[in-house]
Amino acid sequence: MAIAPDRLDKFTFQGEFRPVTDPEENDRINKKIGFVPPSDEEWAWVSAQWKKRWRNEPGLSTDKLQAEYARKKALGQL
């Protein structure tokens, strides 16, 4: 069954979009939504661990690895 064009518009983004390139604006948006970007060190560790373990650990996610990184960092194991 086809969707009428007037009903389809509400499911489609309208207008012009632009990437956020200003670091200050990006920081403001991140603060507003509560996102804390990982440090370069954290991202490198998470990325390396995911590549190493993804075949053997079903359900492995970067969220779990970030939590593991934070725990190990707090314990001084990294």
Side-chain angles (χ1 to χ4, degrees):
M1 180 166 115
I3 299 174
D6 61 326
R7 296 203 53 201
L8 187 61
D9 287 347
K10 71 179 182 178
F11 300 108
T12 307
F13 292 108
Q14 303 291 319
E16 294 292 322
F17 291 97
R18 61 174 179 77
V20 177
T21 56
D22 180 26
E24 290 178 6
E25 184 179 1
N26 203 7
D27 290 343
R28 183 184 58 75
I29 292 168
N30 287 343
K31 185 176 180 182
K32 181 179 179 180
I33 64 174
F35 175 71
V36 179
S39 67
D40 292 339
E41 178 186 345
E42 179 182 0
W43 183 245
W45 187 88
V46 168
S47 179
Q49 289 297 311
W50 192 88
K51 288 174 187 174
K52 180 177 162 183
R53 296 161 37 176
W54 72 275
R55 286 183 197 239
N56 301 326
E57 295 182 35
L60 182 66
S61 73
T62 54
D63 292 334
K64 289 179 184 178
L65 289 172
Q66 283 181 298
E68 183 179 337
Y69 175 86
R71 183 178 55 77
K72 286 186 173 196
K73 186 79 169 179
L75 294 172
Q77 296 175 348
L78 294 177

